[in-house]
């Protein structure tokens, strides 16, 4: 037996330490350079918003961007971009829908007859659908793909971690003290999957008083800095509660946002991917 290089993909030997990769190949017509996962240990912290904002900001910087909405039971990405057109396909491929600014999107809501139709599927079917969005969709000429991951650390997030070759992830959280526990679960899962963590984003960090400009800690004092220190991670951004962004999302016009609060996220992604 030759000396082990610990690269099972190029080794023909059979040994006790051999690990078979579960990573799926994208469609043969796809061309994807970098894949960034946006994760959270629980739902409701703004993961989808951070996903869409990241795609918008990188698109403005001249990169071709895409969003793979792997949150099959809670698909909110099409709403943020105002997408009404349904995804089309043929016998060999599915084609993503493009936003007004050219961001490519695939979400289960782009396949359902009605946006309000519930996805009442068992775990394996949900996980398989998320995987198919990677293998069966033609993602041509994509510089940065952002994967809106399902919340938590269960079967579906595990399938996504194992099936899609993530270059790195961003963990989204909120200010409550409970969050350190939730972040810990997401961070440890990423470490177990050997996926680098770009950093943390705290959403709904504060509200800005429209009269005096004072920061109001609606959900109490932030604990993100202590949490980041615990896990030796960077805090990329602290996003405020912004009624204007909420209006843009509700009206499907997030691409028109003028917020600069999320710019450090785009900076960190560019730096990380160098």
């Amino acid at each position: 037996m030759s000396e082990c290089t610990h690269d099972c993909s190029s080794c023909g030997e059979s040994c006790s330490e051999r690990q078979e990769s579960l990573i799926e190949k994208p469609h043969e017509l796809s061309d994807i350079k970098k894949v960034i996962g946006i994760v959270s240990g629980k739902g409701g912290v703004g993961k989808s918003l951070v996903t869409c904002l990241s795609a918008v900001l990188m698109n403005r910087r001249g990169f071709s961007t895409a969003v793979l909405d792997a949150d099959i039971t809670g698909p909110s990405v099409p709403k943020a971009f105002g997408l009404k057109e349904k995804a089309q396909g043929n016998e060999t491929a599915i084609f993503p829908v493009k936003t007004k600014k050219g961001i490519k999107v695939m979400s289960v809501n782009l396949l359902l007859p009605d946006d309000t139709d519930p996805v009442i599927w068992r775990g394996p079917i949900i996980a398989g659908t998320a995987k198919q969005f990677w293998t069966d969709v033609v993602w041509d000429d994509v510089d940065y793909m952002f994967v809106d991951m399902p919340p938590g650390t269960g079967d579906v997030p595990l399938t996504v971690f194992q099936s899609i070759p993530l270059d790195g992830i961003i963990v989204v959280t909120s200010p409550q003290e409970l969050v350190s526990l939730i972040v810990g679960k997401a961070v440890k899962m990423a470490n177990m999957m050997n996926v680098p963590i770009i950093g943390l984003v705290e959403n709904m960090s504060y509200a800005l008083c429209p009269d005096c400009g004072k920061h109001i800690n609606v959900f109490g004092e932030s604990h993100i800095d202590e949490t980041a220190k615990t896990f030796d991670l960077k805090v990329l951004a602290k996003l405020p509660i912004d009624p204007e962004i909420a209006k843009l999302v509700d009206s499907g016009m997030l691409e028109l946002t003028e917020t600069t609060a999320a710019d450090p996220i785009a900076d960190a992604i560019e730096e990380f991917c160098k």
Side-chain angles (χ1 to χ4, degrees), residues 27-153:
H27 192 279
E28 61 182 358
L29 297 179
S30 291
D31 180 16
I32 309 157
K33 296 179 178 64
K34 295 294 181 181
V35 184
I36 308 297
I38 314 296
V39 310
S40 65
K42 64 182 292 294
V45 297
K47 170 179 51 60
S48 297
L49 174 62
V50 172
T51 302
C52 295
L53 277 176
S54 298
V56 169
L57 293 176
M58 297 305 286
N59 179 261
R60 284 184 184 174
R61 296 185 181 200
F63 297 103
S64 174
T65 62
V67 176
L68 189 161
D69 189 357
D71 192 355
I72 306 300
T73 59
S76 55
V77 174
K79 173 69 174 177
F81 290 119
L83 298 177
K84 300 296 183 183
E85 176 188 351
K86 297 301 178 182
Q88 303 297 315
N90 55 34
E91 294 179 355
T92 61
I94 305 171
F95 301 98
V97 176
K98 290 185 180 181
T99 68
K100 295 179 180 65
K101 300 294 184 179
I103 298 172
K104 301 176 180 73
V105 177
M106 177 50 65
S107 171
V108 74
N109 261 13
L110 300 177
L111 300 173
L112 298 175
D114 191 287
D115 289 350
T116 60
D117 288 346
V119 178
I120 310 175
W121 300 340
R122 299 252 181 216
I125 298 177
I126 296 173
T129 301
K131 188 189 300 185
Q132 281 185 288
F133 285 172
W134 171 257
T135 60
D136 296 2
V137 175
V138 175
W139 300 102
D140 64 304
D141 188 28
V142 173
D143 294 318
Y144 290 95
M145 171 181 282
F146 296 94
V147 182
D148 188 11
M149 301 273 282
T153 57

Side-chain angles (χ1 to χ4, degrees), residues 11-30:
C11 176
E13 299 290 342
S14 178
C15 67
S16 60
E17 295 186 4
R18 183 175 181 84
Q19 296 180 353
E20 294 293 341
S21 174
L22 299 176
I23 293 294
E24 297 281 350
K25 292 182 179 180
H27 192 279
E28 61 182 358
L29 297 179
S30 291

Side-chain angles (χ1 to χ4, degrees), residues 42-46 49 173-180 202-208 215-224 238-242:
K42 64 182 292 294
V45 297
L49 174 62
T173 182
S174 55
Q176 296 93 328
E177 190 169 0
L178 170 66
V179 162
S180 60
E202 183 176 73
N203 189 38
M204 300 180 286
S205 185
Y206 60 90
L208 200 62
H215 283 211
I216 302 170
N217 298 321
V218 179
F219 295 107
E221 293 296 326
S222 170
H223 298 274
I224 192 69
K238 297 179 180 180
L239 303 180
I241 298 172
D242 189 338

